[in-house]
Amino acid sequence: MNGKTVWERFSPMITIVLIVWFSQLSAAQSSCESRCGQRSGDCSCQATCESLKECCADYRQFCLQISPHSGTLLGGAHFVILNTTFDPASKLVCRFNSEIDTQGYVDSGNRGHCVSPLLYESGWIPFEVSTDNGATFNRHGTWLAVHHSKVSAEFKITLHNATKWQYYGTPNTGGSLTMSWNASLLTAAAVNVELWGYRETGEAYSDSWNPELRFLYSLEKAVPNNGSFTFIPSCANGSFSDWEIGALRVSPSMKDEGARDVAALWTGVHALAWHLEEKFRNDSAAWAYDKCISWHETEQDLPEFLSEIADCPCTLAQSRADTGRFHTDYGCDIEKGSVCTYHPGSVHCVRAIQASPKYGAGQQCCYDDTGAQVLTADSIGGNNPDRGHDWGSPPYRKPPRVPGVSHWLYDVITFYYCCLWSDNCHYYFTHRPSSDCRTYRPPKVGVVFGDPHFITLDGSNYTFNGKGEYYLLNTTYKALTVQVRTEPVSLENGSLAKATRLSAVAMQESGSDVIEVRTTRLPDHLEVLRNQQVLSFSEQSWMDLKGVFLYSSVRGNVSVMFPSGAGVEVRGRGGLMTVSVLLPEEFLNHTSGLLGSMNNDPQDDFMFKNGSVLFRDSSPEDLFIFGADWAISNETSLFTYDTADLLNTYFYAEKHDPAFVPVYSVIENPDDPLYGEMSELCGQDPFCKFDTMTTKNLAMGNATKISFQSHMSLVKDLEPVLSCGWLAPPTKGKKEGTTYLAGSIVNFTCNKGYVLTGSAEQTCLSTGMWSGNTPQCVSENILGIVLGSVGGALTLITMVFVIYRHSNKRNPRESGLYTPEAYFQSWLNESSQTPFVMQPCSPKKDCGTP
């Protein structure tokens, strides 16, 4: 064929096909469709791409931002997809957790909208969006599902006079009830007001145990959406009255009654006293008593969980300082006026952050205005353990780990049965007794602050002014890693000081989300990243993440809490960052890094990676070498490098900058113009002096001083406290004193007609034991009979003895049975007892409850 080879004849066609194929492949690799979080050819779909200016052109089209980004886990929250437009003909479907679909829509401005579904879990939930009615899902984002009580007030229904709702139907409580909401959040002229009930079905602690939130009935339909609804409750009919906890929902009336996953607003979960059967209203105490007894019998058949929950801290100070393991219970918060509805007499309560490992149980600890623990054995206002942790626990979704509602079902409505609607608290406290603090051990704390100074977990202190990225802490227990980044301090004249400060800290435990906290250009403001993506705390101050919890109520404070009980507190102050690490005793002999070897021996705190140890009194230059040894590598780095400066300074450079040589010490020169003000500010604080002189900045020196004082206060609050345990009052008697710490005194008295035997006063000793003997109250009549019997017996014995002596009378001196010295020694041997010696007690120690 004209002498042409096969290749010559077909090569032009093959070339064209290859060009088209490669161009299509290149286009596909330059798109973020189904590639969010990845690099895609020459561009990026990662969270850092915008600041690095390397995003693919369609990044925001497929990697979604939304507003609002959080809402109740009960569902119905409506959100808008930002920074992208949709074809008006698109049929949007929003899929959550790869399994739950809700119907979305495109508005007149071509913006996409989704509605969140019912989710029996809290935390960041992945979602996908389809524009072809569910055929393909190629757009991705995340949604924050929130505990019903932690939803911002503007996004939920408010119950007016909440106490009236909870006690409705009990004596002297009735009339109308009112609720209100932000009407602008629902684009409907009329709404339905619906009641939904919650229960858990199946065999407890088995695979058949499941949560159920069910529509019960509408209180009223087609109510004008004016933001308020008032009604007089009627008793529930039939089986509806079996639902005793639940929530009210307001949803557009054009939707079917009880339609799931539609735009709606919810109340919090609460006791449905106002809807219960007529029997409750006729005699609420008798009805509640029957419920209490039924619950009591059920509890006896359920597994015992008390042995696997942690004991409470001994004092209010300890409970607020141990931030890795305990957090404020918002139902009794000293920072918000101590409105403690369920704990009268308490001023503050905390909850254990982590649920117990096997049963998902929770711990609560409450304290009075003296800082002492309040126990249910002494007061109805004492703290209670929970079969279901109020905040839920991973993996959520199954009882009793469903956030909020499981706790209400097993621990709160039952409190209403036994304590609030009837007077039978002894049944409740039999199964929910307070834990004391006898086995509580406070965590150890290490800190880095200033420019920067380190106080190790065992109490050694030193200054390390290296520039780079380092291991603050590395543990073999739970694989906890905390890394810090330092940068040179800028002087007021714009030059750089020969000193550094922290600019970022990053951390992870056992495959958890990576949390990074960084300083910003705004003074004392901190930026928080999760897996390299910036988090916003504008809607929620608490976040449940993968293997870690976060709390940040103000921009300059961040608390990070890990399942191991480790806590990391980050504070921005005066342009400086302070990082405190709190570790429970399980980390003993498992730590290394700049915070030293936690083993109660400060002598080996300065241990290099190879195991060799630097002496504690080593020179600043040697300590600098020790610090430099703990530089990280790019392979182990947890940090985000989302600017050209960070890439060039830390990623492409050595992790410890050998060219940066700091000031190792400062000389206090009275001729220095700053000396007088520095001396007045710092006093004898060496850290304050060092930072003031190296930075020539009094504000920075003051920030260092405050950080050091805060650390010392934290150490003081976490001092071990001894507990002797709860003391019971004697039967038919009373006790005065409900504090059981070392040095505490408890007094006992008896009721009229009874006499006290044993000790009228007992003191908690430094040995952890109570002094004296157990007090008892004996009836005066019984005591008289006993004493009379004893007296008669003694008289008879005396008569027999006299007769015997008379019949055997002889001179005792001659018989060798008597000498004054022998008689005295005999009396001493028979009568004397080892005298009780009151051991000195530290007034700072504590004695706990059984």
Side-chain angles (χ1 to χ4, degrees):
M1 289 185 176
N2 301 325
K4 291 186 177 181
T5 64
V6 175
W7 170 251
E8 289 174 323
R9 284 187 286 115
F10 289 102
S11 62
M13 185 181 299
I14 294 172
T15 301
I16 292 171
V17 170
L18 288 174
I19 291 173
V20 171
W21 183 77
F22 276 115
S23 64
Q24 290 177 338
L25 178 63
S26 177
Q29 290 181 337
S30 297
S31 172
C32 288
E33 182 176 359
S34 299
R35 292 174 176 267
C36 293
Q38 305 174 22
R39 288 201 66 86
S40 186
D42 296 331
C43 59
S44 173
C45 303
Q46 297 173 325
T48 58
C49 73
E50 290 183 306
S51 57
L52 291 172
K53 297 180 172 53
E54 59 181 22
C55 294
C56 298
D58 59 4
Y59 173 64
R60 278 298 165 211
Q61 183 180 349
F62 291 101
C63 304
L64 306 179
Q65 284 186 322
I66 59 175
S67 179
H69 64 260
S70 66
T72 175
L73 58 77
L74 300 177
H78 163 268
F79 59 84
V80 181
I81 300 172
L82 305 174
N83 303 317
T84 189
T85 57
F86 293 83
D87 186 327
S90 298
K91 295 183 178 180
L92 263 58
V93 177
C94 310
R95 176 169 290 173
F96 294 77
N97 259 344
S98 302
E99 59 182 359
I100 308 172
D101 290 354
T102 66
Q103 198 65 44
Y105 68 94
V106 179
D107 65 19
S108 58
N110 297 335
R111 298 187 308 170
H113 296 250
C114 289
V115 174
S116 68
L118 166 65
L119 296 159
Y120 293 117
E121 62 181 309
S122 57
W124 286 100
I125 309 298
F127 74 90
E128 307 158 285
V129 174
S130 168
T131 58
D132 54 11
N133 204 31
T136 57
F137 290 87
N138 52 12
R139 302 162 190 260
H140 303 269
T142 52
W143 166 256
L144 183 60
V146 180
H147 186 294
H148 66 88
S149 71
K150 296 180 181 178
V151 177
S152 174
E154 63 178 303
F155 292 109
K156 64 182 179 183
I157 301 170
T158 299
L159 301 179
H160 293 218
N161 191 354
T163 301
K164 184 177 180 181
W165 286 76
Q166 308 278 40
Y167 283 88
Y168 197 96
T170 61
N172 304 316
T173 307
S176 63
L177 297 173
T178 299
M179 52 190 273
S180 61
W181 63 92
N182 183 351
S184 67
L185 296 175
L186 295 174
T187 56
V191 294
N192 296 335
V193 180
E194 304 169 343
L195 175 62
W196 291 64
Y198 181 81
R199 67 183 179 185
E200 294 177 352
T201 61
E203 182 183 352
Y205 302 101
S206 73
D207 291 339
S208 67
W209 206 12
N210 290 304
E212 181 184 10
L213 182 70
R214 179 191 291 185
F215 167 71
L216 301 183
Y217 56 84
S218 291
L219 276 65
E220 194 165 334
K221 293 182 281 187
V223 175
N225 183 23
N226 58 15
S228 180
F229 177 66
T230 299
F231 70 106
I232 296 178
S234 300
C235 293
N237 296 321
S239 62
F240 286 146
S241 64
D242 294 338
W243 301 77
E244 295 160 2
I245 68 168
L248 289 164
R249 188 181 84 162
V250 172
S251 61
S253 59
M254 75 277 290
K255 300 292 184 180
D256 294 337
E257 282 186 279
R260 288 189 175 275
D261 307 330
V262 299
L265 298 175
W266 294 85
T267 65
V269 174
H270 60 279
L272 302 179
W274 52 271
H275 113 117
L276 294 177
E277 61 184 329
E278 189 171 354
K279 185 179 178 181
F280 174 77
R281 297 194 185 182
N282 291 337
D283 191 342
S284 58
W287 182 95
Y289 172 75
D290 290 342
K291 290 286 185 178
C292 179
I293 294 300
S294 177
W295 170 76
H296 166 66
E297 293 171 349
T298 299
E299 275 287 319
Q300 291 177 319
D301 295 330
L302 293 177
E304 185 274 324
F305 67 88
L306 299 176
S307 59
E308 71 165 2
I309 60 175
D311 264 0
C312 288
C314 292
T315 65
L316 174 60
Q318 284 182 334
S319 75
R320 301 188 71 189
D322 191 352
T323 53
R325 293 183 287 183
F326 295 91
H327 187 76
T328 297
D329 180 346
Y330 300 115
C332 183
D333 185 357
I334 197 171
E335 298 293 337
K336 297 182 179 179
S338 298
V339 181
C340 304
T341 304
Y342 300 111
H343 301 282
S346 297
V347 299
H348 191 73
C349 296
V350 297
R351 290 191 180 276
I353 295 166
Q354 308 296 335
S356 67
K358 184 175 182 180
Y359 295 115
Q363 175 65 287
Q364 182 193 49
C365 312
C366 296
Y367 303 87
D368 63 20
D369 56 6
T370 70
Q373 201 180 350
V374 181
L375 305 175
T376 52
D378 295 322
S379 166
I380 190 176
N383 48 266
N384 310 115
D386 303 314
R387 183 168 291 280
H389 195 298
D390 184 22
W391 305 333
S393 59
Y396 305 107
R397 307 180 74 175
K398 295 280 287 184
R401 298 176 181 270
V402 182
V405 285
S406 289
H407 171 62
W408 257 96
L409 198 60
Y410 301 110
D411 305 297
V412 183
I413 192 64
T414 51
F415 185 76
Y416 278 81
Y417 295 156
C418 301
C419 299
L420 300 184
W421 293 340
S422 74
D423 188 16
N424 296 283
C425 266
H426 56 284
Y427 286 109
Y428 188 82
F429 294 147
T430 296
H431 302 289
R432 302 291 187 271
S434 295
S435 298
D436 67 10
C437 66
R438 281 176 295 177
T439 65
Y440 172 76
R441 300 293 181 269
K444 302 199 72 172
V445 58
V447 67
V448 52
F449 63 100
D451 78 350
H453 311 287
F454 297 77
I455 300 178
T456 69
L457 293 156
D458 283 341
S460 300
N461 73 81
Y462 67 102
T463 296
F464 171 59
N465 263 308
K467 175 191 171 188
E469 295 174 341
Y470 309 91
Y471 285 107
L472 182 64
L473 179 75
N474 205 25
T475 75
T476 54
Y477 177 74
K478 299 296 184 181
L480 173 63
T481 298
V482 183
Q483 301 172 357
V484 290
R485 175 188 290 159
T486 63
E487 64 181 13
V489 175
S490 296
L491 299 177
E492 292 181 343
N493 62 10
S495 62
L496 297 178
K498 290 185 176 182
T500 57
R501 64 176 182 178
L502 297 187
S503 60
V505 56
M507 62 205 85
Q508 183 183 40
E509 180 181 280
S510 299
S512 71
D513 285 339
V514 175
I515 303 302
E516 183 176 354
V517 185
R518 313 193 292 199
T519 57
T520 69
R521 293 182 179 180
L522 296 174
D524 303 341
H525 278 214
L526 300 174
E527 182 179 66
V528 184
L529 294 84
R530 164 185 169 256
N531 299 334
Q532 301 190 342
Q533 189 162 1
V534 175
L535 291 175
S536 171
F537 289 88
S538 60
E539 296 176 16
Q540 303 297 328
S541 58
W542 177 278
M543 292 187 189
D544 301 345
L545 308 179
K546 178 187 174 184
V548 61
F549 296 101
L550 286 182
Y551 177 73
S552 179
S553 58
V554 295
R555 293 294 300 272
N557 294 351
V558 179
S559 298
V560 187
M561 297 145 277
F562 292 102
S564 64
V568 180
E569 295 289 330
V570 188
R571 301 286 182 264
R573 182 182 292 116
L576 298 173
M577 176 189 284
T578 297
V579 177
S580 300
V581 178
L582 298 95
L583 297 182
E585 63 180 359
E586 288 81 3
F587 282 88
L588 278 171
N589 301 308
H590 292 287
T591 72
S592 59
L594 296 178
L595 286 183
S597 305
M598 178 176 142
N599 58 5
N600 297 318
D601 180 9
Q603 298 299 326
D604 62 357
D605 275 350
F606 306 139
M607 183 180 292
F608 291 84
K609 289 180 180 178
N610 63 10
S612 60
V613 176
L614 196 65
F615 292 117
R616 290 186 70 194
D617 58 355
S618 297
S619 68
E621 290 81 1
D622 287 339
L623 288 167
F624 185 80
I625 295 172
F626 157 75
D629 186 59
W630 284 105
I632 65 173
S633 65
N634 279 338
E635 291 73 24
T636 60
S637 175
L638 301 176
F639 288 107
T640 302
Y641 305 93
D642 55 356
T643 67
D645 180 63
L646 288 174
L647 284 170
N648 293 330
T649 305
Y650 298 100
F651 188 79
Y652 297 124
E654 293 187 58
K655 289 301 184 183
H656 169 75
D657 185 355
F660 183 83
V661 180
V663 172
Y664 292 114
S665 60
V666 294
I667 299 175
E668 296 182 31
N669 183 1
D671 295 330
D672 190 311
L674 203 59
Y675 179 82
E677 292 177 282
M678 181 270 292
S679 299
E680 183 178 355
L681 169 68
C682 300
Q684 299 302 311
D685 185 335
F687 307 115
C688 174
K689 291 180 178 181
F690 185 93
D691 290 6
T692 301
M693 299 308 293
T694 55
T695 64
K696 302 299 181 182
N697 188 320
L698 287 167
M700 195 163 290
N702 187 53
T704 296
K705 176 183 177 181
I706 294 172
S707 294
F708 176 58
Q709 290 174 340
S710 297
H711 173 74
M712 296 310 294
S713 295
L714 180 62
V715 171
K716 180 175 174 26
D717 289 341
L718 290 172
E719 287 180 356
V721 176
L722 184 69
S723 169
C724 290
W726 179 73
L727 277 180
T731 303
K732 304 298 183 180
K734 300 176 182 178
K735 71 174 181 180
E736 289 186 14
T738 55
T739 302
Y740 311 107
L741 316 183
S744 299
I745 297 174
V746 179
N747 294 293
F748 305 93
T749 58
C750 291
N751 298 341
K752 186 176 180 180
Y754 290 84
V755 177
L756 183 72
T757 64
S759 299
E761 177 182 288
Q762 290 187 278
T763 300
C764 178
L765 307 178
S766 60
T767 59
M769 303 294 291
W770 288 103
S771 66
N773 300 314
T774 302
Q776 293 181 323
C777 292
V778 180
S779 170
E780 291 178 343
N781 294 334
I782 295 175
L783 184 64
I785 294 171
V786 171
L787 291 177
S789 300
V790 170
L794 288 175
T795 301
L796 179 61
I797 292 170
T798 302
M799 292 175 63
V800 171
F801 177 74
V802 169
I803 294 171
Y804 172 80
R805 293 278 292 174
H806 181 75
S807 61
N808 294 279
K809 188 174 183 181
R810 17 173 164 162
N811 189 334
R813 295 177 185 268
E814 295 175 359
S815 66
L817 296 176
Y818 173 85
T819 66
E821 295 80 6
Y823 178 81
F824 177 78
Q825 188 61 49
S826 174
W827 174 86
L828 186 64
N829 291 340
E830 294 175 4
S831 305
S832 68
Q833 304 293 326
T834 302
F836 170 75
V837 179
M838 181 73 75
Q839 299 295 326
C841 314
S842 169
K844 298 180 182 178
K845 296 184 178 179
D846 164 316
C847 313
T849 269

